[in-house]
């Protein structure tokens, strides 16, 4: 991802195709729905969620730009995260929640126990 939307007069380590300039940090910075800001939100949320570090991660499924992950927190609780990394809305199956539609570049997280599931985060 190039930093600016203009072609540099200086040599770059790798060539930057002109059509990539519209995907630069400069172009995406102010667009709250951009891929750049989606990644920033996800990284920020992950850094603030220290409780996720203590247990192994299991991939439930990954298809068509979506990813569903699960962590067992305790015998009766688990955390499930769904990530839509595509530019289209997608419907994914969340274990013990059902089908959930995620908008483009949206992510959500659920705490699930044997009695109830509760959405705790959304982009």
């Amino acid at each position: 991802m190039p930093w600016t939307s203009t072609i540099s007069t200086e040599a770059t380590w790798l060539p930057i195709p002109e059509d990539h300039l519209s995907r630069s940090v400069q172009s995406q910075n102010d667009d709250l729905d951009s891929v750049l800001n989606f990644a920033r939100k996800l990284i920020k949320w992950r850094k603030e969620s220290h409780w996720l570090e203590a247990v192994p991660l299991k991939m439930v499924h990954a298809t068509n730009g979506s990813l569903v992950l699960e962590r067992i927190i305790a015998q009766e609780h688990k955390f499930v995260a769904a990530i839509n990394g595509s530019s289209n809305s997608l419907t994914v199956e969340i274990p013990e929640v059902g089908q959930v539609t995620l908008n483009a570049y949206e992510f959500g997280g659920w705490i699930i126990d044997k009695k109830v599931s509760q959405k705790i985060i959304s982009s």
Side-chain angles (χ1 to χ4, degrees):
M1 177 184 297
W3 287 103
T4 65
S5 328
T6 56
I7 295 176
S8 175
T9 56
E10 298 189 26
T12 57
W13 179 60
L14 292 172
I16 300 173
E18 206 166 316
D19 62 330
H20 286 212
L21 297 176
S22 64
R23 301 178 189 126
S24 70
V25 171
Q26 182 180 33
S27 297
Q28 295 187 54
N29 202 38
D30 294 332
D31 179 3
L32 297 179
D33 293 326
S34 69
V35 173
L36 174 66
N37 283 308
F38 168 72
R40 285 176 173 163
K41 286 183 219 175
L42 193 57
I43 291 166
K44 179 181 184 286
W45 174 78
R46 174 62 181 92
K47 284 182 178 179
E48 293 170 352
S49 303
H50 298 288
W51 56 273
L52 288 172
E53 299 168 2
V55 290
L57 179 67
K58 173 185 165 190
M59 184 173 8
V60 177
H61 76 264
T63 56
N64 300 326
S66 71
L67 180 63
V68 178
L69 306 166
E70 173 183 284
R71 285 191 189 239
I72 306 297
I73 301 166
Q75 282 188 339
E76 296 184 8
H77 303 299
K78 66 181 162 182
F79 172 74
V80 178
I83 303 164
N84 177 3
S86 78
S87 59
N88 300 309
S89 293
L90 294 174
T91 301
V92 295
E93 184 72 26
I94 306 295
E96 300 168 47
V97 172
Q99 290 194 337
V100 174
T101 299
L102 297 172
N103 295 321
Y105 309 116
E106 182 181 14
F107 63 93
W110 292 261
I111 293 289
I112 300 170
D113 67 22
K114 294 190 179 208
K115 298 176 187 160
V116 66
S117 65
Q118 176 184 2
K119 189 170 187 179
I120 60 166
I121 183 146
S122 181
S123 62

